[in-house]
């Protein structure tokens, strides 16, 4: 995953904007944008990031993640928030189903009155009350449907936040691992670490399975047994 500066620079250039033009549109100095792109500006404000996101049409969350505003604690809160929304989603679905079932039951009761050629006052009042109750239940069901749609959007947004945060976290960990590995490789190479870290190991063009990697590692260990 690109750094914050790399992403802004890449999208800015694709948009055909200079750092000066972007700075004017975001209402900051040209130096601010330049320092941001070259990773010399630390902790840009969320407000500036929001304006950059709008101008360059970049998801705001992508900039917030790369700027380090989402941490492990934030992820835990996102998981809790998502679980809370999903619980509410289930509750609303059950209520909506309950309201619709009641409305259908009332519809069946109303059918009885429709067969009456001429209703007396009591029957008219009963039919009117049932019709009113049915309308209210359908209205409540519709309100719940709208709320469910809003919940779905919010849950999707949280899922995007979680996914992007995890991708950024994994990319950062991989980058640090590679940097550490390269640093150590200048003096020594631990073949066991290579076998365990690498996603794929090939020999003569064949990609080894996990079982084959372990066998190859075992052979090496036996060959060079102390």
């Amino acid at each position: 995953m690109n750094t914050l500066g790399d992403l802004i620079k890449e999208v800015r250039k694709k948009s055909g904007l200079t750092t000066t033009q972007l700075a004017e549109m975001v209402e900051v100095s040209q130096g601010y944008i330049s320092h941001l792109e070259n990773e010399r500006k630390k902790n840009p404000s969320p407000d500036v990031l929001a304006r950059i996101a709008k101008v360059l049409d970049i998801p705001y969350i992508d900039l917030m993640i790369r700027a380090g505003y989402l941490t492990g604690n934030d992820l835990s809160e996102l998981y809790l928030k998502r679980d809370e929304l999903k619980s509410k989603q289930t509750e609303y679905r059950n209520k909506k189903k309950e309201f619709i079932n009641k409305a259908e039951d009332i519809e069946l009761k109303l059918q009885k009155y429709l067969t009456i050629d001429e209703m007396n006052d009591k029957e008219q009042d009963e039919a009117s009350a049932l019709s009113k109750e049915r309308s209210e239940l359908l209205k409540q069901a519709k309100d719940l449907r709208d709320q469910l749609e809003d919940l779905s959007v919010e849950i999707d947004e949280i899922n995007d936040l979680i996914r992007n945060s995890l991708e950024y976290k994994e990319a950062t960990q991989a980058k640090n691992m590679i940097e550490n590995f390269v640093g150590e490789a200048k003096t020594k190479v631990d073949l066991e670490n290579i076998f365990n870290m690498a996603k794929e190991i090939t020999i003569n063009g064949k990609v080894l399975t996990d079982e084959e990697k372990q066998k190859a590692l075992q052979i090496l260990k036996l060959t060079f047994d102390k």
Side-chain angles (χ1 to χ4, degrees):
M1 183 181 288
N2 293 340
T3 64
L4 175 65
D6 289 339
L7 177 61
I8 292 173
K9 183 186 292 184
E10 178 185 344
V11 180
R12 173 183 62 76
K13 287 183 175 180
K14 285 182 179 178
S15 301
L17 297 173
T18 64
T19 53
T20 300
Q21 290 172 323
L22 178 58
E24 290 176 353
M25 298 171 77
V26 178
E27 299 179 0
V28 294
S29 68
Q30 184 275 336
Y32 187 103
I33 297 296
S34 180
H35 286 172
L36 195 57
E37 291 186 349
N38 293 297
E39 302 297 327
R40 285 184 287 171
K41 173 65 180 176
K42 304 298 180 183
N43 301 320
S45 74
D47 181 55
V48 171
L49 292 178
R51 296 203 296 273
I52 291 175
K54 184 176 181 180
V55 171
L56 296 181
D57 194 24
I58 301 174
Y60 177 52
I61 184 57
D62 284 356
L63 298 184
M64 289 291 284
I65 291 171
R66 287 170 172 79
Y69 282 104
L70 285 175
T71 65
N73 289 334
D74 294 317
L75 267 176
S76 297
E77 291 177 7
L78 286 172
Y79 281 123
L80 289 173
K81 180 65 175 176
R82 185 182 64 180
D83 290 343
E84 177 187 328
L85 290 176
K86 283 188 173 181
S87 177
K88 188 178 291 186
Q89 192 178 47
T90 300
E91 178 189 344
Y92 285 2
R93 281 174 177 161
N94 290 337
K95 281 187 177 179
K96 177 188 170 188
K97 185 177 180 180
E98 178 187 342
F99 290 153
I100 290 176
N101 287 340
K102 284 183 177 179
E104 289 175 348
D105 288 342
I106 292 174
E107 179 67 26
L108 292 175
K109 292 178 181 178
L110 282 171
Q111 293 299 322
K112 180 187 73 173
Y113 291 96
L114 293 177
T115 60
I116 300 175
D117 293 332
E118 192 172 330
M119 291 187 289
N120 57 40
D121 291 344
K122 181 182 178 182
E123 290 170 335
Q124 287 180 354
D125 289 342
E126 289 174 349
S128 177
L130 285 172
S131 180
K132 184 177 179 180
E133 184 180 355
R134 176 180 173 277
S135 296
E136 183 60 30
L137 286 168
L138 291 176
K139 179 180 179 300
Q140 289 177 316
K142 181 182 180 301
D143 290 342
L144 284 172
R145 184 192 66 192
D146 294 340
Q147 291 179 56
L148 281 167
E149 289 177 358
D150 292 339
L151 281 174
S152 294
V153 171
E154 196 170 350
I155 289 172
D156 287 342
E157 289 175 349
I158 289 179
N159 282 332
D160 287 340
L161 282 172
I162 292 172
R163 184 178 63 254
N164 290 338
S165 298
L166 289 174
E167 286 177 357
Y168 183 74
K169 184 178 179 181
E170 289 171 359
T172 302
Q173 289 174 340
K175 178 184 175 185
N176 292 337
M177 190 180 296
I178 291 171
E179 287 176 348
N180 292 336
F181 176 74
V182 171
E184 291 179 1
K186 293 178 181 178
T187 55
K188 65 176 181 179
V189 175
D190 189 326
L191 287 175
E192 187 169 358
N193 281 342
I194 293 176
F195 272 79
N196 291 329
M197 288 167 50
K199 286 187 176 180
E200 288 187 357
I201 291 180
T202 60
I203 295 178
N204 293 332
K206 170 182 169 56
V207 178
L208 301 184
T209 65
D210 289 340
E211 184 179 353
E212 289 170 336
K213 283 195 291 185
Q214 292 305 313
K215 285 182 180 179
L217 181 59
Q218 191 62 33
I219 291 172
L220 287 171
K221 285 181 177 181
L222 291 173
T223 303
F224 298 101
D225 192 15
K226 291 182 178 179

